[in-house]
Amino acid sequence: MFSKIYSFGVLGIDGYVVTVETHISGGLPAFDIVGLPDNAVKEAKERVRSAIKNNQISYPSSRITVNLAPSDIKKTGAVYDLPVLLGILSAKGDVDAISEKYAFAGQLSLDGNLRSVPGILPMAIKAKEEGFTHFFVPADNANEAAVVDGISIFGIEHISQLIGFLKGETVLKEHIYQPVEITEEPLDFADVKGQEEAKRALEIAAAGGHNILMVGPPGSGKSMLAKRMPSILPPLTREEAIQTTKLYSISGLIAKNGGLITKRPFRNPHHTVSAPALTGGGNNARPGEISLANNGVLFLDEFPQFHKDVLESLRAPLEDNVVTISRVSYTQTYPSNIMLVAAMNPCPCGYYGTENHTCTCSETRRQQYMNRISGPMMDRIDLHVHLEDVEWEDLTNTEQGETSAEILERVIAARNIQAARYKGLGFDTNSNIPSKYMAKFCKITPKGTQILKKVFDNMNLSARSYDKVLKVARTIADLDGEEIINEMHILEAVQYRDMDREI
């Protein structure tokens, strides 16, 4: 007695088809699962056995062998519980032959209820690509799977519903996607008092997708500004939303009855985070904070307090927009198209250079603090902006400042210019201009070139820092609606590189 059921696994952020082959034969009772299963998959036999018996279904007192093909890829998680159970029922004739256009995924409880599993969205996408017409998933995962058009999604709460459907005794209702409403009130730049220079720098960063570092004393508003950064970023495109949701899906971070993520991610790990937690890894190669911030903002507060290996692990992802996790047993690549927003004090006590407080740090201690950030790491941050203490006049000003919606309008206009300029080239923001296109897209007036040469000589800029200045100047020109970068754009861009002298 043999049956074949189709399910899915996840490699990276993409799904792949897993064929669950079940054979029931004579001999002493046994239940073996082969095909490189991990412990969670091996434990499926106990959950399946209990679910069958607790629903008054006869359990075969024979030898059961389940093969998860392809057998050379390690299978992880409890996603195969449901297809294994159906494979047994089909092999022993309790249900009719199951269509090859049907696919199944889900974790079983001991009484036959289905629990949600991670990675349903990439599985649903793969199911559609492979021509499956029906995908049966736990009810809590149904809305997430229904994001995918062109395939019928059925949410199952208990195996009795599915068994009745397969026997033709009951009817299952296809789940139609329901957009998830965002109930939390968005943060707004209008709430920030003063700090106009920092707001301008953040607008430039948002318009060009640039990384930014804010340096200022405690209480100057660094965190407050950073947390409002998503409010001035353009809405996610459909492709970006799918990619972001896939990352959260495989990480098990999609809420019950959740759906497509439409808000740009904002990740704010503590400075005690480890390098694997930031970049990703573990036994199952899960995405880290960098990838979870993909298409959004990664905010690192108290920047110099992060361990040196953690900061250095950021260098390649910031340059390549991908994270490659290499271990003995696997190599996995995840997207990391992020905006890094970092914040730090000017010294250990936090008051160096401020007018209202006295710094208690020695020059040696302050330099040691600054040197926790390496030159190569600083090179990869496009804008450096200094914040001062907020003045009394700004704090007590009752007039509403510029809102996020007003800033966003200018940011979207600049992004649209970039999208049209770089159409078909594989990138869409100024921060990602490859070196070979710099001369073509970053043309400068003669006077602007003269100023840039003086700056390059006087500040001893690296080649990467030179490119960063040009890219930021390109964004400033786009905000002004100018095709050619002029001297004013260069001068403004240069003032955001003064941390190069500190490191």
Side-chain angles (χ1 to χ4, degrees), residues 31 44-52 81 84-85 88 108:
F31 191 165
K45 56 189 177 183
E46 304 301 333
R47 293 189 291 271
V48 169
R49 181 187 291 113
S50 296
I52 289 176
D81 289 6
V84 167
L85 180 144
I88 292 173
L108 287 172

Side-chain angles (χ1 to χ4, degrees), residues 186-318:
L187 301 174
D188 199 295
F189 268 87
D191 302 329
V192 181
K193 301 291 186 181
Q195 305 298 8
E196 298 305 321
E197 182 182 346
K199 291 178 185 177
R200 168 66 175 173
L202 288 169
E203 178 182 336
I204 294 168
H210 302 289
N211 304 317
I212 183 170
L213 171 65
M214 293 182 286
V215 185
S220 56
K222 302 184 294 293
S223 298
M224 189 176 187
L225 286 162
K227 290 175 181 177
R228 283 156 177 75
M229 194 67 182
S231 69
I232 62 170
L233 292 175
L236 288 169
T237 64
R238 173 76 177 182
E239 287 184 2
E240 289 175 333
I242 290 287
Q243 187 183 64
T244 300
T245 307
K246 286 167 71 175
L247 284 163
Y248 277 69
S249 178
I250 63 177
S251 301
L253 298 178
I254 300 293
K256 178 181 177 180
N257 298 319
L260 193 66
I261 293 175
T262 56
K263 183 180 177 182
R264 289 194 180 269
F266 180 87
R267 304 295 295 184
N268 181 17
H270 191 260
H271 62 77
T272 56
V273 68
S274 66
L278 191 71
T279 58
N283 293 333
N284 299 328
R286 292 300 186 197
E289 291 290 338
I290 297 176
S291 296
L292 292 175
N294 184 54
N295 296 319
V297 175
L298 177 67
F299 176 45
L300 301 184
D301 202 3
E302 305 296 342
F303 198 42
Q305 301 295 345
F306 285 80
H307 292 291
K308 188 175 182 62
D309 62 326
V310 173
L311 291 182
E312 295 306 301
S313 69
L314 278 167
R315 286 164 54 177
L318 289 178

